[in-house]
Amino acid sequence: MPIPRPAGPFSSAHPSRAALSLLVAVLLAGCVPTPESVVPAEVSAEVRGLRVPFDDFTLSRLDIHTIEYAEDLLTRACMRASGLDWELLPPPARTDTDPLHRRRYGVIEPKVAEHHGYHLPPPAPDQWAREQVWRRREALPPAGRRAAYGHDGQGGCRNTARTRLAEGIPKIDRGRLNGFIGSTFEASQRLPAVVAAFGAWSGCMKDRGFAYRTPLDAVSDPAWTSSAQASPREIAAARADVGCKRATGLVAAWSAAEKAVQLDAIAAHRAEFDRFRQARDAELGAARRLSSGSTQ
C-alpha cells in the first residue's frame, strides 16, 4: 500500500492543492532525474516573477512544506507516545527552489531547455532530501506502519496529526476551488490575445522545423517520454520553444490573460474566495505556530 501524503484543506491529498499540479501535469513530461551529483538548474528571475491572482488564495510550495513539517511534528509526538520514532521531513527552505509556476506556460528557461529539453530538471538538494524521507517511509516495518497509518492506511498517528492541525480551520468546498483553477486556465487560452500569441509562436516553431499548434502540444509530445534523458531533437525543440516564446511575447500575453480571467472569477465569487483565503491563512498560520514552537 502506498504511503499516503499529508492531507488537509489545501494538501496534496485534496483537489485544491492537487489542482495546482493538475494544471501543469501535462507540462511535466519525462522522468525526474535524481542523482545527487547532478547540479539542479537555478530558478530564473523570470520564473520567480510569475504570479497569478489565485496565489492569494492557494499555497506556495514552501507553504505546503511548512504544513507537511507541522504534520510531521505532530506525528512524531504521537509515535513517541507509543514508544516509536518518526523521521521528520526537512524543515522548509528559506527560498523556494522549485516554484509551482515554473512550468505553468511550458518550458521558459533557456538553461533548462538546453540541458533537459522537456524533461524535468534534477531536484534541488532540499527536494531530493524530502523525497528520500518519503521513500524510507515506504520501508517502515509493519508495527511502525500500523502506528503511523492505521490498518487501512487512513488512520494512525498521521490521521491524528491531520485532525489536530485542522482544528478551527474553516471548511471550504475544495472541488469548487479546483474547478476555478482549471476553468480559468482553460479560459485564458481562448482569449484573442492568447490565440494570436499561440499562432505567432506556432509559426515561429514551424520556421525552425517543428509543427505544434500550442506550447502544450510541444511539451506533451509522446516522443519525449520514450527515454529518461532528453534526445538531441527534444533539446532542439525545447530551445526553439523557449526562443519562440521570447520572440512572440507569448508568456507575457498568456500571463496577462490568465490574470484577467482569474480577477473576473474572484470578483464574481468574492464570498467564496474570501473563505478560500481564510482557510488557507488559518491552516498555514497553525502550521507556522506549531513549527516555531518546536525544538526539533
Side-chain angles (χ1 to χ4, degrees):
M1 178 185 297
I3 296 296
R5 299 290 176 109
F10 289 90
S11 74
S12 56
H14 288 285
S16 55
R17 185 181 298 171
L20 295 174
S21 299
L22 176 62
L23 287 182
V24 294
V26 69
L27 308 180
L28 305 183
C31 301
V32 182
T34 56
E36 294 180 273
S37 59
V38 178
V39 178
E42 185 174 349
V43 180
S44 69
E46 181 181 13
V47 166
R48 293 203 180 279
L50 290 176
R51 281 190 55 80
V52 293
F54 283 3
D55 289 343
D56 292 334
F57 307 91
T58 55
L59 296 164
S60 70
R61 193 180 300 278
L62 288 184
D63 293 339
I64 294 169
H65 291 177
T66 298
I67 292 169
E68 290 177 344
Y69 186 66
E71 290 180 353
D72 256 16
L73 290 170
L74 292 171
T75 299
R76 185 178 66 175
C78 175
M79 294 285 283
R80 286 180 172 178
S82 300
L84 300 168
D85 203 1
W86 180 256
E87 181 184 7
L88 298 177
L89 289 165
R94 292 185 178 274
T95 303
D96 195 342
T97 55
D98 187 25
L100 288 172
H101 296 328
R102 188 170 198 177
R103 294 166 73 91
R104 190 177 194 91
Y105 306 115
V107 176
I108 67 174
E109 297 167 287
K111 288 185 178 180
V112 172
E114 175 70 31
H115 295 288
H116 309 290
Y118 290 111
H119 281 61
L120 290 174
D126 65 306
Q127 296 282 0
W128 174 253
R130 295 178 66 82
E131 286 307 313
Q132 297 316 296
V133 174
W134 285 113
R135 291 182 184 185
R136 286 192 287 274
R137 289 177 183 176
E138 295 284 352
L140 281 174
R145 181 182 291 263
R146 285 193 299 272
Y149 302 105
H151 292 280
D152 60 356
Q154 303 299 317
C157 286
R158 294 301 275 167
N159 184 63
T160 299
R162 291 193 294 265
T163 300
R164 179 179 167 186
L165 194 60
E167 290 176 355
I169 296 175
K171 302 295 183 182
I172 61 170
D173 186 341
R174 293 180 290 270
R176 284 284 287 174
L177 180 55
N178 179 46
F180 283 127
I181 293 171
S183 64
T184 54
F185 186 74
E186 293 174 0
S188 70
Q189 299 171 56
R190 297 191 293 270
L191 293 186
V194 179
V195 173
F198 282 175
W201 174 90
S202 181
C204 177
M205 290 291 284
K206 186 174 181 180
D207 291 342
R208 301 188 186 196
F210 300 97
Y212 296 109
R213 188 177 64 85
T214 75
L216 300 185
D217 296 329
V219 79
S220 61
D221 189 329
W224 314 145
T225 63
S226 62
S227 172
Q229 301 295 326
S231 66
R233 180 164 177 78
E234 179 183 340
I235 294 289
R239 291 179 63 189
D241 184 349
V242 171
C244 287
K245 284 190 176 89
R246 295 194 169 193
T248 61
L250 185 145
V251 173
W254 196 352
S255 178
E258 193 174 12
K259 289 176 182 176
V261 172
Q262 289 191 2
L263 286 173
D264 286 345
I266 293 168
H269 304 277
R270 173 57 64 180
E272 283 186 278
F273 276 90
D274 284 345
R275 287 194 293 275
F276 296 153
R277 190 203 302 269
Q278 291 166 6
R280 189 277 308 268
D281 290 350
E283 184 179 23
L284 186 56
R288 284 173 173 166
R289 288 190 297 272
L290 185 72
S291 298
S292 65
S294 169
T295 59
Q296 300 187 20

